Amino acid sequence: MRTRSAAVTAIITAAAVVVAGCAGPGPPPSRPRARPPSPPATASPGGPASPGPAAAPVAGVCGPPLAAGRLVTVHAPGRVRLAALTAGSGPRGVLLIPELGRSGKCGWWDFAAYLAANGYRVLAFDHRCTGESSCPSGPAAGSLMPDIRAAASWLRRAGAARVVLTGASQGASEALIAATRPPPGVTAVVSLSADELTTALAARPYPVTATAAAPRLARPALFAVAAADPYVGVPATRRLFAAARSGRSRLVVLGPGAGHGWDLVRPDQPGAARPPLAATILAFLRAMT
């Protein structure tokens, strides 16, 4: 996905971004868009919020599935309010970092509900200056790592003793960077089609790019990419995997029709079978949490 470079680029509004605007030959395929959002519930800085509207509040914003979930607000440094959704319970946490584009947290909702049904406490959020999240002025508008740290802390306060950072597309690159200086409780990373690998997505003391982050990963990572991904090649993903230090890291190369980013784990249409990678990720999560 096209990037919001940390502390180095101007604010890029969602309206100006093609949801699948990663580099590649020809125009990118279209992607599902989130439904128009409703106002989220709010949370105190110390933890979860009360539920929104009584009937399936997350589905009311994001569409199916009609699963239990809540809309919450995560408070990030600099008085930034991140619109988020949460589902599930228990001590095993998964933080879902979005692709860039209009879908934001809603692009993860189907997988979040799946993880919650399998025993995980899940949080997905809109980055600052996107979706319903607030937007500070100045260089802080492009900061991505503080949002990830704040969201991971929210999960810990909500009851997750261990957290796995899971990102799609540019969000996967952000997860790899964040895992070089992992927030407390973070045990591993899941990277789905990490792209924008040489784009500045963070500021020091983090590695600036995902390529620079891979050799400095402090946690095991599961890398996944499709053979015909139009935005990031298998060779580039293999290089990331080879650079990762942990012997517990894994690489999964999928068939040419698997898609990109969060498409790797969600059904093609309601009622269809979930891609097998979802079960692979569940096994990795169990081992890491």
Side-chain angles (χ1 to χ4, degrees), residues 92-120:
R92 296 180 170 191
V94 180
L95 177 60
L96 298 172
I97 304 169
E99 299 186 15
L100 183 61
R102 290 183 180 178
S103 293
K105 62 185 181 295
C106 286
W108 277 122
W109 170 231
D110 170 83
F111 193 55
Y114 169 78
L115 291 174
N118 280 277
Y120 292 88

Side-chain angles (χ1 to χ4, degrees), residues 1-288:
M1 305 317 242
R2 291 293 180 196
T3 158
R4 302 161 297 241
S5 299
V8 294
T9 60
I11 304 168
I12 303 176
T13 61
V17 179
V18 178
V19 173
C22 304
S30 60
R31 296 206 174 275
R33 305 284 182 158
R35 295 186 180 184
S38 302
T42 57
S44 68
S50 58
V58 177
V61 171
C62 298
L66 298 176
R70 294 181 296 138
L71 300 171
V72 299
T73 298
V74 173
H75 294 264
R79 301 174 128 184
V80 175
R81 299 181 307 279
L82 305 177
L85 62 85
T86 188
S89 60
R92 296 180 170 191
V94 180
L95 177 60
L96 298 172
I97 304 169
E99 299 186 15
L100 183 61
R102 290 183 180 178
S103 293
K105 62 185 181 295
C106 286
W108 277 122
W109 170 231
D110 170 83
F111 193 55
Y114 169 78
L115 291 174
N118 280 277
Y120 292 88
R121 186 185 299 273
V122 187
L123 182 75
F125 65 95
D126 291 335
H127 267 302
R128 61 186 62 199
C129 303
T130 65
E132 297 175 303
S133 294
S134 66
C135 189
S137 59
S143 297
L144 305 177
M145 296 301 113
D147 293 354
I148 294 172
R149 293 191 72 89
S153 295
W154 190 100
L155 268 175
R156 292 264 288 166
R157 292 193 299 270
R162 296 166 298 280
V163 176
V164 175
L165 303 180
T166 300
S169 193
Q170 181 183 297
S173 289
E174 295 172 29
L176 294 173
I177 295 171
T180 65
R181 297 174 61 86
V186 168
T187 60
V189 182
V190 174
S191 167
L192 305 182
S193 314
D195 66 4
E196 302 290 358
L197 299 179
T198 59
T199 301
L201 299 175
R204 299 191 186 283
Y206 291 93
V208 175
T209 68
T211 297
R216 295 172 55 183
L217 277 175
R219 298 291 184 269
L222 171 64
F223 298 88
V225 66
D229 191 308
Y231 309 119
V232 61
V234 172
T237 306
R238 288 191 186 279
R239 287 192 291 272
L240 285 180
F241 170 69
R245 294 180 303 172
S246 173
R248 301 181 72 188
S249 291
R250 292 191 57 191
L251 171 64
V252 179
V253 178
L254 303 167
H260 176 80
W262 46 41
D263 293 338
L264 302 184
V265 293
R266 64 186 182 186
D268 291 337
Q269 56 189 356
R274 188 171 297 279
L277 180 64
T280 301
I281 292 174
L282 276 184
F284 182 77
L285 294 176
R286 291 189 187 106
M288 296 299 150

